[in-house]
C-alpha cells in the first residue's frame, strides 16, 4: 500500500523507462473534472484494482450515502469493505479540513465493516494523513467499532491510476464517449430499458444454450476471434450481453469492453491494454467497420499473446464483408456462431415469463406463429400487450418499420451489387412479390410475368428470388412467402395503388393471395383501401355469377369454395365483405341450377360428397362475425335461415363457448344477445326449436374443451379444458336460459318436445354436481331451487315418461348428496308423483329410481310379488290397457318388463293371452313387438302343450298382424 508521495517515487522507478514515459504523460488534473467524473473514476479503479465484485451505489443526500462495498480479500486483507468518495475542488489545506469533517460524519454511519476506505482527490501530507487516522480512531472507539481506516488520497489514486492505463482513455475521452467502453456503459440505455422498448437488453434471456457454450469455450481456446452472425434483430447483441454477465463478469481474468468508435487510435488502444489484465473486445455490427480496421484489431490480439480476444457481431449477408481484410487461410481460426430464430419451445418460454397469468396466454400458439421466433417481434408484441393496444398495430410502430426497411436493405444492396439493379427497382420487385405470395419461386410462368412487368431479365428475377431464399428472407417448402407476415405487411404499406392494380390484372391466378395480403395492410389515405374494396366486391360477386360456359359445375363449386375460404381469412379486417358473401350464398342457394344449390342438394343426398361443404365455410364465417357486436343481429337471422334450409343441428356450435370467451373474461355478450333476442319474440322461431334447444343446452354447460395444434410441437395436439366461473355474467346468462327453457316447455305448440325440454332442465342440476371435477366447483343453489320449483309446480301434469325421468333424476340428486335444504321439497315432489292409476304404477315399477332404491334386493322376487299383487287387484282388461299406455311412449321396453311378462305367462296365463289379443284387436304397433314373444313362450311351456291347437291358431293371428303392421 502507498499512502504518501515518497511511496509513489519508490514505486515509479520500478517501471521500464518507456512505459514510465507513456504513463507520466497521463497525469490527472482534477481541476478539469467534476464529482460525477470522480465517482466514475473511483468505481472503475475499484473494479480494476480490488475486484469485479465491488458493488457501486448511488443515492441522494449530502454525501450520496455509501458509495461502494465489497466482501472479500484485497492486498492481503480480508473482510467487509466500505468505500466512500470525497471530491473537493478547493486548495489543499481547505480540502484537508473538509475531509476531517467528512471522517467524523462517516464514522457515525459505519455498520461494523472491517475496512473503511476514504477515496479523495485531495493530496495530503504525511502528518495530515496521520491526523485523519487519529480522528477516525477516536470517534471509532466512542462508537465501539473495530473498523480499520485506509485513506487513498490524491497521490495514492495517481499511483493506482498508473497501474491501469485503460483509465487514461476514459479520463481523457470521457467514460461515456471513449473509443473503448465498459459494456455496462455502452449499452446502458438498453440494459436499463423497461416496458419492452426497442433494442431492450434487460428482458429475460431465453434459449441459445449452444451459442453460450461455444462462446464460453472460446474464452479458454487459442482462437483470437469469434464472429456471431445472424439477421438483424435476431438477438446477437443480447447473446453477447448474456455471455458477458454469465461467463466474463464472473471470472477475475477477463475484462469485457466495447469498441465504440469507428475512428480507432490503435496506438492508444495498444498502450491502454498493455499492462495488467486480459481483455475481450466486442465490435458490435462489425459489418459497419472498415475491414482493414478489423484486420488491424486481429493483429493487436495476436501480438498480445492471448491477453486480447475479439468478439464480432454482423448480419448474415454482410458477415463476410467484415472479414475481408483477414487472410483466407486464417478464417479457419475464427469461431463462427450462427444465430437463427428461436424454436417454438424457446418462443413459448419467452412469452411465458410475461403472459402466463394473463388472458393472452390462451392464445400462445397464435403469438408463437406471428412472432416467428424473432426476438424483435416478440418484444414488439409484448409491448403492444402491456400498452393495451391491438397486436396487429405493431406494424405501425416507427421502430419496426425502420427495422424492416434496414432488414431488406441487405437484400437490395446484395442484388444491386450482383446484378446492377437500382434500389428503387429492387424495392418495386419486392413489393410485387409481397403482394402475390405465397407462390413457388421456381414457377417459370410467374418469373416470366415478373420479368415483363419490371423490365428485368429472367436471370435477374431468378437471382432475386434465389437471394430471398438463400438468406432466409422467405420460407416454405413448395411455396415460399416472406416471414413473418408483419414484414410483408410493412413492405406493402408503401405500394402504389396504380402499381397494385397492374399487379392484380397480371396475376389473376394469385388473386386469393393478393386479397388476403392487401387486407392485412393498413389502408390509410393511400387509395389502396378503395382499390381493395372494389376488387373484393367484384371478387365476392363471382359467387352469384360465374358465366364461363367452359367451366364445369364442379369447377364452379371449387371456385366458390376458394372465394369463401379467402373471405373466411379476412373476416376480421373486412367484416362487411364477409357479410355480403353470406348474403350471396343464401340468395343463390334457393336458385335452381345454381352451383351453390347443386352443391347443397348433393350434400343433403350424399353427406361428405364434397370434401368441405360450402355450408361449413359459411358457418365458419358467421362464427367469426360474432366477434363484432354490430353483426350479432345479422348472424342471428342467418343462422335460422340456414337451419330452415339444411336442418343442420351443428349450427348450434356457433354459440358454444370457446377461448374467445376465456379471453373476454366470460362477458358472454354474444350469448346474451341470442337469449335476449329470443325473449323479445320467443314465438317467432318456434319452428326452429330443435336448433334453439341445442344452443340453449350449450349455454348451460359449465366446462368445455378446446382442441388445437400444440404451441410448441406442430405434430402434436393440445387439449385444454376450461371451467366457467361463478361470475355475475355467467349466473345471469344461466338464469335467463333456465327461464327460456321453462317458457318453451309450457308452449302447447311444442308439446312433442316436452320430454327433451324437461331433460334439459333437469340436466342443469346434474351439470352443477358434475362441476366438482373442475378446479373450482360451481355452486349456485338458486339454480337448483328454480328447477325444483318448476318440478313442484308441474308435477301433477307430467306424463308417464316425464314422471319416470323426474323420479330417476331426483334419486340421483339425493345420491349426489344434494344440500339438506332441498330434501323436504324433493320429498314433496315425489309425493305429488305417486301413481294415480295402474299405468303410472307400472311406469314407476320399472324405473331406475326404484331399481336404485332396491339395490341388493332380489329383483326377480320383487317383480313376481308386484305381478301377483297387480293381478289380485285388477282384471285382464284393466291390466292390458294399462300396459299399453305404459309401453307405447317407450322406444324400448324397460329392463325388467320382460321379467314381469314372464311371470304373467307362467302364473297368470289368461292375463298374457288377453294382452296379446287386446293388442291385436286395436291394431297396436306394440303387437308386432310383443306378440311373437308371448306366443313362442306359450308354445314351449309344457303346461300348455295340450292347448297346442289354440296356440297355432294364434300364430296365424300373429302372422296376419305382422302383415297389417308391414302394410
Amino acid at each position: 500500500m502507498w499512502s504518501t508521495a515518497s511511496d509513489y517515487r519508490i514505486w515509479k522507478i520500478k517501471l521500464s523507462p518507456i512505459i514510465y514515459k507513456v504513463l507520466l504523460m497521463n497525469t490527472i488534473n482534477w481541476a478539469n473534472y467534476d464529482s460525477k467524473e470522480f465517482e466514475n473514476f473511483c468505481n472503475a479503479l475499484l473494479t480494476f484494482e480490488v475486484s469485479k465484485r465491488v458493488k457501486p451505489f448511488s443515492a441522494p443526500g449530502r454525501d450520496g450515502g455509501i458509495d461502494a462495498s465489497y466482501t472479500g480479500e484485497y492486498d492481503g486483507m480480508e473482510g467487509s469493505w466500505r468505500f466512500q468518495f470525497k471530491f473537493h475542488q478547493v486548495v489543499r489545506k481547505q480540502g484537508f479540513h473538509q475531509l476531517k469533517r467528512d471522517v467524523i460524519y462517516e464514522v457515525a454511519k459505519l455498520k461494523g465493516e472491517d475496512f473503511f476506505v476514504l477515496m479523495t482527490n485531495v493530496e495530503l501530507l504525511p502528518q495530515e494523513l496521520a491526523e485523519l487516522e487519529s480522528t477516525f480512531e477516536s470517534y471509532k472507539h466512542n462508537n465501539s467499532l473495530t473498523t480499520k481506516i485506509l485513506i487513498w488520497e490524491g497521490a495514492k489514486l495517481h499511483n493506482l491510476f498508473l497501474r491501469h492505463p485503460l483509465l487514461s482513455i476514459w479520463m481523457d475521452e470521457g467514460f461515456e464517449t471513449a473509443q473503448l467502453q465498459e459494456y455496462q456503459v455502452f449499452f446502458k440505455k438498453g440494459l436499463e430499458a423497461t416496458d419492452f422498448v426497442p433494442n431492450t437488453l434487460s428482458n429475460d434471456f431465453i434459449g441459445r444454450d449452444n451459442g453460450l457454450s461455444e462462446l464460453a469455450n472460446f474464452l479458454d481456446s487459442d482462437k483470437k476471434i469469434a464472429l456471431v452472425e445472424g439477421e438483424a434483430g435476431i438477438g446477437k447483441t443480447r447473446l453477447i450481453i448474456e455471455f458477458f454477465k454469465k461467463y466474463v463478469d464472473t471470472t477475475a481474468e477477463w475484462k469485457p469492453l466495447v469498441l465504440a468508435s469507428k475512428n480507432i487510435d490503435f496506438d492508444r488502444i495498444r498502450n491502454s491494454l498493455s499492462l495488467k489484465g486480459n481483455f475481450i473486445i466486442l465490435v458490435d455490427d462489425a459489418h459497419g467497420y472498415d475491414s482493414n480496421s478489423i484486420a488491424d484489431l486481429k493483429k493487436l490480439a495476436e501480438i498480445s499473446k492471448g491477453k486480447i480476444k475479439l468478439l464480432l457481431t454482423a448480419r448474415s449477408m454482410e458477415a463476410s464483408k467484415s472479414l475481408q481484410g483477414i487472410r483466407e487461410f486464417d478464417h479457419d481460426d475464427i469461431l463462427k456462431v450462427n444465430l437463427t430464430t428461436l424454436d417454438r419451445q424457446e418462443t413459448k418460454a419467452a412469452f411465458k415469463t410475461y403472459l402466463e397469468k394473463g388472458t393472452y396466454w390462451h392464445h400462445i400458439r397464435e403469438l408463437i406463429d406471428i412472432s416467428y421466433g424473432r426476438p424483435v417481434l416478440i418484444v414488439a408484441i409484448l409491448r403492444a400487450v402491456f400498452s393495451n393496444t391491438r397486436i396487429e398495430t405493431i406494424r405501425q410502430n416507427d421502430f419496426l418499420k425502420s427495422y424492416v426497411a434496414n432488414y431488406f436493405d441487405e437484400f437490395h444492396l446484395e442484388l444491386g451489387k450482383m446484378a446492377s439493379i437500382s434500389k428503387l427497382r429492387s424495392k418495386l420487385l419486392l413489393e410485387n412479390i409481397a403482394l402475390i405470395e405465397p407462390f413457388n419461386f421456381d414457377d417459370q410462368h410467374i418469373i416470366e410475368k415478373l420479368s415483363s412487368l419490371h423490365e428485368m431479365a429472367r436471370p435477374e428475377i431468378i437471382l432475386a428470388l434465389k437471394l430471398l431464399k438463400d438468406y432466409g428472407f422467405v420460407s416454405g417448402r413448395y411455396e415460399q412467402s416472406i416471414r413473418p407476415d408483419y414484414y410483408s405487411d410493412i413492405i406493402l404499406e408503401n405500394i402504389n395503388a396504380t402499381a397494385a392494380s397492374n399487379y392484380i390484372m397480371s396475376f389473376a391466378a394469385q388473386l386469393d393471395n393478393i386479397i388476403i395480403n392487401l387486407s392485412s395492410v393498413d389502408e390509410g389515405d393511400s387509395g389502396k383501401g378503395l382499390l381493395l374494396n372494389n376488387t373484393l366486391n367484384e371478387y365476392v360477386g363471382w359467387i352469384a355469377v360465374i358465366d364461363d360456359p367452359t367451366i364445369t359445375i364442379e369447377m364452379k363449386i371449387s371456385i366458390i369454395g376458394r372465394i369463401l375460404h379467402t373471405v373466411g381469412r379476412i373476416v376480421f379486417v373486412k367484416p362487411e365483405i364477409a357479410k355480403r358473401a353470406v348474403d350471396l350464398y343464401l340468395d343463390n342457394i334457393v336458385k335452381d341450377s345454381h352451383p351453390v344449390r347443386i352443391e347443397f342438394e348433393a350434400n343433403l343426398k350424399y353427406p361428405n360428397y364434397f370434401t368441405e361443404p360450402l355450408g361449413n365455410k359459411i358457418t365458419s364465417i358467421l362464427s367469426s362475425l360474432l366477434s363484432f357486436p354490430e353483426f350479432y343481429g345479422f348472424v342471428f337471422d342467418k343462422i335460422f335461415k340456414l337451419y330452415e334450409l339444411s336442418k343442420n343441428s351443428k349450427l348450434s356450435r356457433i354459440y358454444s363457448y370457446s377461448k374467445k370467451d376465456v379471453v373476454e373474461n366470460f362477458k358472454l355478450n354474444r350469448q346474451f344477445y341470442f337469449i335476449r333476442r329470443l325473449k323479445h319474440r320467443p314465438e317467432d322461431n318456434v319452428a326452429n326449436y330443435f336448433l334453439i334447444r341445442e344452443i340453449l343446452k350449450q349455454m348451460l354447460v359449465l366446462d368445455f374443451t378446446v382442441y388445437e395444434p400444440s404451441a410448441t410441437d406442430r405434430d402434436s395436439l393440445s387439449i385444454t379444458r376450461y371451467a366457467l366461473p361463478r361470475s355475475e355474467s355467467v349466473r345471469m346468462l344461466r338464469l335467463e336460459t333456465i327461464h327460456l327453457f321453462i317458457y318453451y316447455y309450457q308452449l302447447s305448440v311444442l308439446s312433442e318436445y316436452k320430454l327433451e325440454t324437461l331433460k334439459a332442465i333437469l340436466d342443469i342440476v346434474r351439470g352443477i354436481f358434475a362441476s366438482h371435477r373442475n378446479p373450482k366447483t360451481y355452486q349456485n343453489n338458486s339454480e337448483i331451487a328454480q328447477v325444483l320449483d318448476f318440478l313442484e309446480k308441474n308435477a301433477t301434469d307430467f306424463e308417464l315418461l316425464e314422471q319416470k325421468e323426474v323420479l330417476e333424476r331426483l334419486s340421483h340428486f339425493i345420491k349426489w348428496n344434494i344440500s339438506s335444504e332441498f330434501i323436504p321439497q324433493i320429498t314433496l315432489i315425489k309425493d305429488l308423483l305417486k301413481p294415480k292409476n295402474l299405468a303410472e304404477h307400472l311406469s314407476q315399477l320399472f324405473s331406475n329410481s326404484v331399481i336404485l332404491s332396491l339395490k341388493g334386493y332380489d329383483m326377480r322376487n320383487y317383480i313376481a310379488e308386484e305381478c301377483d299383487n297387480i293381478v289380485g287387484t285388477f282384471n285382464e282388461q284393466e291390466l292390458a290397457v294399462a300396459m299399453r299406455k305404459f309401453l307405447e311412449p317407450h322406444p324400448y321396453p324397460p329392463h325388467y318388463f320382460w321379467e314381469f311378462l314372464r311371470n304373467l305367462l307362467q302364473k297368470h296365463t289368461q292375463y298374457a293371452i288377453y294382452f296379446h289379443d287386446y293388442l291385436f284387436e286395436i291394431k297396436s304397433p306394440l303387437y308386432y313387438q310383443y306378440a311373437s314373444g308371448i306366443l313362442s313362450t306359450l308354445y314351449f311351456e309344457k303346461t300348455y302343450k295340450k292347448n297346442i291347437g289354440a296356440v297355432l291358431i294364434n300364430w296365424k293371428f300373429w302372422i296376419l298382424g305382422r302383415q297389417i303392421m308391414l302394410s
Side-chain angles (χ1 to χ4, degrees):
M1 301 292 294
W2 297 276
S3 301
T4 65
S6 61
D7 291 329
Y8 165 49
R9 286 192 294 274
I10 293 171
W11 177 81
K12 73 178 183 180
I13 63 174
K14 297 178 182 178
L15 299 173
S16 68
I18 296 176
I19 294 178
Y20 170 70
K21 184 177 180 181
V22 171
L23 296 180
L24 197 58
M25 295 170 58
N26 296 319
T27 58
I28 306 174
N29 182 0
W30 289 112
N32 297 327
Y33 301 95
D34 57 24
S35 59
K36 180 62 180 175
E37 290 168 312
F38 181 69
E39 179 186 347
N40 289 337
F41 168 80
C42 292
N43 283 329
L45 177 62
L46 289 174
T47 302
F48 286 130
E49 177 65 23
V50 179
S51 171
K52 290 200 290 187
R53 292 188 289 111
V54 171
K55 185 177 181 181
F57 294 93
S58 60
R62 174 170 170 258
D63 60 5
I66 182 172
D67 289 322
S69 68
Y70 168 64
T71 301
E73 187 272 338
Y74 170 67
D75 199 28
M77 296 175 285
E78 187 165 356
S80 58
W81 299 71
R82 178 189 181 106
F83 299 91
Q84 205 68 40
F85 312 150
K86 300 298 177 182
F87 182 77
H88 298 298
Q89 276 189 329
V90 292
V91 295
R92 192 189 60 75
K93 195 67 175 176
Q94 185 180 353
F96 163 71
H97 290 295
Q98 288 182 348
L99 286 172
K100 193 172 182 181
R101 289 193 293 271
D102 291 335
V103 167
I104 296 171
Y105 179 77
E106 292 298 332
V107 171
K109 297 196 302 178
L110 292 175
K111 304 294 183 183
E113 294 88 352
D114 296 310
F115 303 98
F116 171 67
V117 181
L118 180 68
M119 302 175 69
T120 180
N121 63 308
V122 180
E123 293 194 8
L124 300 174
L125 298 175
Q127 59 270 29
E128 292 170 335
L129 281 170
E131 187 174 345
L132 287 178
E133 291 173 353
S134 176
T135 300
F136 179 84
E137 290 296 326
S138 62
Y139 278 89
K140 177 182 78 171
H141 290 305
N142 292 339
N143 290 278
S144 302
L145 297 170
T146 59
T147 307
K148 180 179 180 180
I149 188 172
L150 301 170
I151 301 174
W152 292 5
E153 44 75 55
K156 171 63 180 291
L157 291 183
H158 188 70
N159 290 343
L160 297 176
F161 165 71
L162 293 177
R163 293 178 63 181
H164 306 287
L166 181 58
L167 287 170
S168 66
I169 286 186
W170 294 346
M171 295 297 286
D172 289 350
E173 300 179 5
F175 283 87
E176 297 181 1
T177 54
Q179 57 185 314
L180 277 181
Q181 298 177 23
E182 292 182 299
Y183 81 89
Q184 297 93 334
V185 174
F186 184 80
F187 294 114
K188 181 180 180 181
K189 186 176 180 180
L191 290 169
E192 295 178 353
T194 57
D195 299 329
F196 311 106
V197 298
N199 294 322
T200 180
L201 297 170
S202 62
N203 52 315
D204 286 357
F205 185 80
I206 302 296
R208 309 299 197 196
D209 294 336
N210 290 339
L212 281 175
S213 179
E214 289 183 85
L215 291 177
N217 294 334
F218 168 66
L219 269 186
D220 300 324
S221 71
D222 294 332
K223 293 182 183 293
K224 305 297 188 295
I225 301 180
L227 170 65
V228 178
E229 57 181 311
E231 66 181 60
I234 204 65
K236 300 183 294 295
T237 305
R238 184 66 184 87
L239 173 68
I240 300 302
I241 295 296
E242 192 67 17
F243 166 62
F244 283 167
K245 287 181 177 180
K246 193 170 182 179
Y247 293 100
V248 184
D249 287 349
T250 56
T251 178
E253 288 78 18
W254 290 93
K255 175 72 176 177
L257 299 170
V258 181
L259 185 64
S261 173
K262 291 183 174 68
N263 298 316
I264 306 171
D265 185 339
F266 285 98
D267 289 336
R268 188 80 190 269
I269 290 177
R270 183 177 66 252
N271 292 332
S272 298
L273 305 180
S274 59
L275 289 182
K276 187 178 179 181
N278 299 326
F279 302 93
I280 182 165
I281 302 175
L282 169 63
V283 184
D284 204 25
D285 290 334
H287 51 270
Y289 287 75
D290 181 74
S291 59
N292 292 323
S293 297
I294 303 297
D296 289 340
L297 286 171
K298 178 180 179 293
K299 292 176 183 176
L300 178 62
E302 289 173 344
I303 63 175
S304 73
K305 297 180 180 180
K307 293 183 62 178
I308 298 175
K309 287 179 180 285
L310 295 182
L311 190 51
L312 316 179
T313 69
R315 296 179 185 174
S316 298
M317 290 187 72
E318 299 180 272
S320 59
K321 174 184 173 183
S322 58
L323 303 177
Q324 284 177 350
I326 299 175
R327 293 172 300 184
E328 190 68 32
F329 60 82
D330 286 338
H331 283 207
D332 291 339
D333 292 329
I334 299 174
L335 170 66
K336 294 182 180 179
V337 179
N338 182 34
L339 288 192
T340 57
T341 56
L342 297 172
D343 63 32
R344 295 184 70 84
Q345 190 67 46
E346 291 169 337
T347 307
K348 180 181 180 180
F351 281 118
K352 182 177 181 179
T353 304
Y354 305 100
L355 302 180
E356 186 175 19
K357 295 183 180 179
T359 55
Y360 274 97
W361 186 246
H362 299 295
H363 291 295
I364 183 61
R365 181 176 60 84
E366 291 85 351
L367 294 177
I368 291 173
D369 287 341
I370 63 176
S371 71
Y372 223 72
R374 283 174 164 80
V376 66
L377 267 181
I378 294 172
V379 171
I381 291 168
L382 288 172
R383 186 173 186 180
V385 169
F386 284 93
S387 61
N388 292 318
T389 57
R390 292 167 57 191
I391 289 178
E392 58 265 30
T393 62
I394 65 173
R395 62 171 174 262
Q396 299 169 6
N397 182 284
D398 290 338
F399 165 77
L400 197 58
K401 286 182 178 180
S402 175
Y403 164 78
V404 172
N406 292 333
Y407 175 66
F408 283 101
D409 273 349
E410 299 178 36
F411 164 73
H412 300 313
L413 291 172
E414 192 69 14
L415 184 60
K417 186 194 307 180
M418 298 179 70
S420 300
I421 294 173
S422 70
K423 185 176 180 180
L424 176 60
R425 293 177 67 204
S426 178
K427 288 179 70 174
L428 292 174
L429 174 62
L430 187 62
E431 288 173 358
N432 193 164
I433 292 169
L435 183 66
I436 66 173
E437 65 168 3
F439 64 92
N440 188 334
F441 276 24
D442 295 323
D443 189 316
Q444 297 303 311
H445 184 63
I446 292 178
I447 291 172
E448 188 64 44
K449 285 189 176 181
L450 289 172
S451 173
S452 175
L453 274 171
H454 296 276
E455 298 180 351
M456 295 181 185
R458 282 172 54 88
E460 293 172 340
I461 298 295
I462 292 171
L463 173 63
L465 296 175
K466 186 175 185 301
L467 284 175
L468 289 173
K469 285 199 294 185
D470 290 349
Y471 288 98
F473 291 101
V474 299
S475 63
R477 183 174 299 175
Y478 176 71
E479 290 186 328
Q480 289 74 44
S481 60
I482 294 170
R483 286 289 182 267
D485 291 333
Y486 283 122
Y487 290 8
S488 58
D489 293 346
I490 290 173
I491 291 170
L492 288 176
E493 283 190 344
N494 298 317
I495 194 170
N496 179 276
T498 303
S501 181
N502 291 334
Y503 299 155
I504 290 172
M505 289 187 290
S506 300
F507 293 94
Q510 281 72 44
L511 187 56
D512 297 343
N513 299 343
I514 292 172
I515 287 172
I516 292 169
N517 294 331
L518 272 182
S519 298
S520 301
V521 180
D522 182 33
E523 296 167 14
D525 299 319
S526 62
K528 292 190 290 294
L530 180 61
L531 169 67
L532 176 60
N533 285 332
N534 290 339
T535 303
L536 277 172
N537 279 308
E538 183 177 350
Y539 178 72
V540 171
W542 290 350
I543 294 174
V545 182
I546 302 181
D547 293 329
D548 193 339
T550 63
I551 301 178
T552 64
I553 287 294
E554 287 77 10
M555 183 61 71
K556 290 178 180 180
I557 292 171
S558 176
I559 292 171
I560 294 173
R562 279 178 52 194
I563 293 171
L564 293 178
H565 175 75
T566 301
V567 170
R569 292 183 61 184
I570 64 170
V571 173
F572 296 102
V573 290
K574 290 295 179 182
E576 287 291 345
I577 293 296
K579 175 177 177 289
R580 182 164 180 256
V582 172
D583 281 332
L584 287 172
Y585 175 84
L586 291 174
D587 289 345
N588 289 282
I589 201 172
V590 296
K591 295 180 180 179
D592 292 335
S593 75
H594 192 279
V596 168
R597 177 69 180 183
I598 294 170
E599 188 268 354
F600 174 73
E601 289 179 337
N603 274 300
L604 284 181
K605 190 173 182 181
Y606 306 106
N608 302 317
Y609 182 81
F610 290 93
T611 306
E612 188 177 0
L614 301 181
N616 289 0
K617 298 179 188 292
I618 292 295
T619 303
S620 177
I621 292 171
L622 288 171
S623 181
S624 297
L625 282 173
L626 276 179
S627 299
F628 303 91
E630 61 268 31
F631 289 98
Y632 286 173
F634 174 80
V635 175
F636 182 94
D637 294 333
K638 301 309 173 185
I639 281 178
F640 284 111
K641 187 171 181 179
L642 263 177
Y643 181 73
E644 289 169 5
L645 292 166
S646 65
K647 300 303 178 186
N648 182 4
S649 61
K650 292 180 181 178
L651 288 166
S652 62
R653 297 175 185 172
I654 289 179
Y655 285 99
S656 60
Y657 296 121
S658 66
K659 281 210 307 189
K660 192 185 302 180
D661 297 296
V662 180
V663 171
E664 294 173 354
N665 203 23
F666 291 98
K667 292 180 180 178
L668 310 178
N669 294 328
R670 293 172 289 280
Q671 291 86 349
F672 272 118
Y673 180 90
F674 181 86
I675 291 288
R676 288 163 186 174
R677 179 79 179 268
L678 282 179
K679 288 176 67 177
H680 180 62
R681 294 180 62 87
E683 67 281 357
D684 286 356
N685 285 292
V686 166
N688 299 317
Y689 177 67
F690 183 84
L691 177 64
I692 293 172
R693 190 184 73 216
E694 292 305 305
I695 294 175
L696 295 182
K697 283 167 64 176
Q698 290 192 33
M699 290 185 184
L700 288 172
V701 302
L702 287 169
D703 55 63
F704 60 97
T705 304
V706 174
Y707 302 88
E708 59 187 351
S710 168
T712 56
D713 185 355
R714 293 185 183 274
D715 297 324
S716 300
L717 188 67
S718 174
I719 304 174
T720 310
R721 189 160 159 264
Y722 296 95
L724 272 70
R726 190 176 178 273
S727 62
E728 184 63 19
S729 56
V730 171
R731 191 184 67 81
M732 288 301 300
L733 180 74
R734 289 174 62 84
L735 177 67
E736 294 189 27
T737 305
I738 293 170
H739 288 164
L740 261 178
F741 261 133
I742 292 173
Y743 170 83
Y744 282 120
Y745 176 85
Q746 294 167 342
L747 279 181
S748 58
V749 293
L750 294 176
S751 58
E752 63 179 302
Y753 298 111
K754 271 194 167 187
L755 180 61
E756 291 304 316
T757 304
L758 176 64
K759 287 181 178 179
I761 295 172
L762 290 169
D763 208 47
I764 294 166
V765 182
R766 183 209 58 79
I768 292 173
F769 281 110
S771 70
H772 76 277
R773 299 170 300 181
N774 299 336
K776 191 172 182 181
T777 301
Y778 181 87
Q779 298 284 353
N780 195 344
N781 283 349
S782 63
E783 293 180 15
I784 298 176
Q786 287 180 66
V787 172
L788 293 179
D789 289 344
F790 162 77
L791 296 178
E792 181 183 342
K793 182 179 178 181
N794 294 274
T796 56
D797 299 321
F798 287 143
E799 296 180 356
L800 286 177
L801 288 182
E802 293 174 309
Q803 292 177 9
K804 175 178 176 291
E805 190 69 32
V806 170
L807 286 169
E808 289 180 359
R809 294 298 186 97
L810 291 177
S811 299
H812 281 102
F813 296 167
I814 294 172
K815 183 182 178 182
W816 295 333
N817 296 320
I818 194 169
S819 175
S820 58
E821 67 180 280
F822 297 117
I823 297 299
Q825 190 174 16
I826 290 175
T827 303
L828 174 60
I829 295 169
K830 284 185 173 181
D831 288 340
L832 293 171
L833 290 173
K834 284 182 177 178
K836 297 180 287 295
N837 53 55
L838 181 55
E840 291 183 1
H841 178 73
L842 289 172
S843 178
Q844 294 184 23
L845 172 63
F846 301 109
S847 68
N848 289 332
S849 60
V850 172
I851 295 172
L852 286 172
S853 66
L854 296 171
K855 188 175 181 181
Y857 191 82
D858 187 343
M859 287 301 299
R860 291 189 171 222
N861 291 335
Y862 173 74
I863 295 296
E865 292 173 5
E866 285 294 319
C867 181
D868 293 342
N869 291 336
I870 290 171
V871 168
T873 307
F874 299 94
N875 60 35
E876 292 93 333
Q877 182 182 4
E878 291 171 331
L879 179 57
V881 172
M883 288 171 67
R884 177 184 63 81
K885 288 182 179 179
F886 155 59
L887 290 171
E888 278 184 345
H890 287 84
Y892 305 101
H895 181 64
Y896 283 101
F897 174 73
W898 290 108
E899 185 65 24
F900 180 85
L901 189 57
R902 190 177 68 81
N903 273 277
L904 282 181
L905 286 165
Q906 287 182 345
K907 298 165 62 177
H908 310 287
T909 310
Q910 68 275 19
Y911 278 79
I913 292 174
Y914 188 92
F915 176 59
H916 164 271
D917 293 343
Y918 170 69
L919 294 180
F920 177 75
E921 288 171 8
I922 65 172
K923 300 179 181 178
S924 170
L926 294 173
Y927 184 79
Y928 181 71
Q929 190 172 356
Y930 293 99
S932 61
I934 294 172
L935 294 174
S936 61
T937 302
L938 290 173
Y939 179 81
F940 289 105
E941 285 290 337
K942 295 179 181 179
T943 310
Y944 295 101
K945 286 284 186 181
K946 56 187 177 182
N947 296 323
I948 190 68
V951 171
L952 290 175
I953 294 172
N954 283 331
W955 269 109
K956 295 178 182 179
F957 290 157
W958 178 78
I959 294 169
L960 178 61
R962 185 177 185 185
Q963 292 172 341
I964 294 171
M965 293 302 301
L966 288 173
S967 66

